[in-house]
Amino acid sequence: MKIAHLDMDAFYVSVELQRRPELRGKPVIVAGTGPRAVVTTASYEARKFGVGSAMPAARARRLCPAAINIPPDFAAYRAVSRQVMDLLRDHVERVEVVGLDEAYLDLSGLVAPNAAMRRLVADIRRATGLSASVGIGPNKLVAKVASDAEKPAGFVVLTREGACARFADASPGLVPGIGPKTVERLAALGITTLGRLAQTPEAALQERFGTNQGRDLLARARFHGSAQLTLERVAVSESRETTFNTDVADRAEQEAHLRRLSDELCAGLKRPGRTIAIKVRLDDWTTVTRARTIAEATADAHVVGGVALDLLRAYAPARPVRLLGVRVAGFDAPAPEVDAGQLALPL
Ligand SMILES: [Mg+2]
């Protein structure tokens, strides 16, 4: 298998800079203005101050007081996202869109996959003026970490073994799904690098972290991952989720994240749905979903966010939360964008 992960560089900020070129080179943050607002994207200049996505906007302003705050304009991001995703589908038949600004592509059928991805990146730049980073590997995990390794405008191709070698000295926290708390617990065991983690006996990890997380940690450290793409044709729901860098215990902060996720989800929704669900993973890896079906299909962020908040309040997580997600399902009609002919073509 050959999987690519394409990730637009600082997407929301980059779209804003296209229409406000005078802000180029300055620290810019796209975030709401309320007291509980969360940063959606920060420019690379702002990131130098330690500002990052999913950080409370108030904290970002403390870290980088000079940052220029722009409220998110999801309609604009969605329009550019459509343009980008259409280009992806022009180049590659099998595409899994995982957000407004990122997608996995199955390159298995291509004769010259790396060259095809370079052409795609050039086409995106020509059409939108925006830059993207690409990672290519045998599975989604390698591709995802590779796309992040040399941002912005990165282009990194790795085998699984190559990924193990390249990131052997990196913190385990480099890998998605291994958060700071786990990193701390690993450090207490003397495991401070991915290489060290990859060589730890599974039994030892399972004793400390439990059967599932122990197995999962080892697999991630060895860059084993899924190469299965979820194609749009079979999509019966659309969702957005975030794993936090630090487990979130504060309810108001949880709610702010849920609102942001609902905004982002609805911005990318291709059709309204009647079932709204949340997914909550606690710091002990307990994972629950709660769903509600409403009378009329909606793609309205206020409605989706409102139901999601209700569901969260009703569940009232008893422990700090490591992951939150929002899902919309129960679509009445097939999405107009789904093009059966495109997916039916053999590779
Ligand atoms: Mg991105």
Side-chain angles (χ1 to χ4, degrees):
M1 293 299 286
K2 213 165 179 56
I3 303 291
H5 181 250
L6 182 138
D7 192 11
M8 301 301 292
D9 297 326
F11 182 56
Y12 301 165
V13 164
S14 302
V15 173
E16 296 293 350
L17 293 183
Q18 289 287 102
R19 33 185 197 181
R20 306 178 205 208
E22 71 277 10
L23 297 182
R24 273 181 205 288
K26 297 187 174 152
V28 174
I29 293 169
V30 175
T33 48
R36 294 285 176 184
V38 173
V39 174
T40 60
T41 317
S43 71
Y44 290 96
E45 289 79 9
R47 291 180 200 197
K48 286 180 197 145
F49 293 84
V51 175
S53 295
M55 173 184 285
R59 172 138 185 264
R61 279 192 286 275
R62 276 197 303 277
L63 287 170
C64 184
I68 295 143
N69 196 95
I70 300 177
D73 175 359
F74 284 107
Y77 311 149
R78 186 172 51 221
V80 180
S81 174
R82 288 241 165 99
Q83 220 183 334
V84 170
M85 297 308 165
D86 284 349
L87 282 170
L88 263 57
R89 293 190 189 94
D90 286 347
H91 283 74
V92 179
E93 286 159 23
R94 294 162 64 82
V95 176
E96 177 184 345
V97 177
V98 288
L100 285 181
D101 71 330
E102 57 178 304
Y104 291 100
L105 301 90
D106 183 350
L107 309 181
S108 302
L110 301 180
V111 180
N114 298 359
M117 289 306 292
R118 292 214 183 261
R119 276 199 305 276
L120 170 56
V121 169
D123 278 4
I124 292 173
R125 188 183 281 279
R126 225 181 344 262
T128 67
L130 303 179
S131 84
S133 292
V134 169
I136 299 176
N139 61 49
K140 287 163 134 182
L141 181 59
V142 172
K144 169 102 180 162
V145 172
S147 75
D148 205 41
E150 293 182 13
K151 263 181 169 294
F155 195 99
V156 177
V157 184
L158 289 171
T159 61
R160 187 186 67 80
E161 295 80 1
C164 289
R166 173 162 178 165
F167 303 112
D169 294 333
S171 159
L174 177 86
V175 168
I178 304 184
K181 201 161 184 180
T182 305
V183 170
E184 252 173 54
R185 292 172 67 192
L186 287 167
L189 300 176
I191 303 168
T192 53
T193 66
L194 275 173
R196 190 76 191 274
L197 178 57
Q199 283 163 10
T200 306
E202 187 170 63
L205 291 171
Q206 291 183 325
E207 192 180 316
R208 184 77 175 80
F209 293 92
T211 312
N212 291 337
Q213 196 186 353
R215 186 188 302 127
D216 182 79
L217 278 172
L218 193 59
R220 282 177 202 267
R222 294 176 177 172
F223 285 92
H224 287 292
S226 165
Q228 197 70 46
L229 263 55
T230 308
L231 301 180
E232 294 208 357
R233 185 171 50 160
V234 297
V236 291
S237 68
E238 295 191 43
S239 62
R240 289 285 291 193
E241 62 179 49
T242 303
T243 301
F244 302 117
N245 289 329
T246 309
D247 296 336
V248 176
D250 180 57
R251 184 63 47 78
E253 201 181 322
Q254 293 166 1
E255 293 183 2
H257 283 292
L258 213 46
R259 275 197 195 284
R260 173 181 59 88
L261 288 167
S262 301
D263 286 348
E264 293 182 16
L265 172 62
C266 290
L269 268 187
K270 294 181 193 64
R271 50 206 161 138
R274 276 179 300 116
T275 301
I276 294 147
I278 61 165
K279 174 173 164 187
V280 185
R281 178 169 295 148
L282 306 180
D283 64 346
D284 64 356
W285 276 55
T286 306
T287 306
V288 300
T289 56
R290 292 286 186 273
R292 180 181 301 167
T293 298
I294 56 176
E296 206 169 311
T298 185
D300 183 326
H302 289 291
V303 177
V304 171
V307 173
L309 287 192
D310 270 3
L311 292 168
L312 181 73
R313 284 169 191 157
Y315 170 57
R319 303 179 58 92
V321 169
R322 73 177 254 121
L323 175 151
L324 273 178
V326 185
R327 178 176 298 270
V328 171
F331 304 119
D332 285 333
E337 275 91 348
V338 172
D339 177 357
Q342 170 199 326
L343 291 162
L345 286 170
L347 286 175

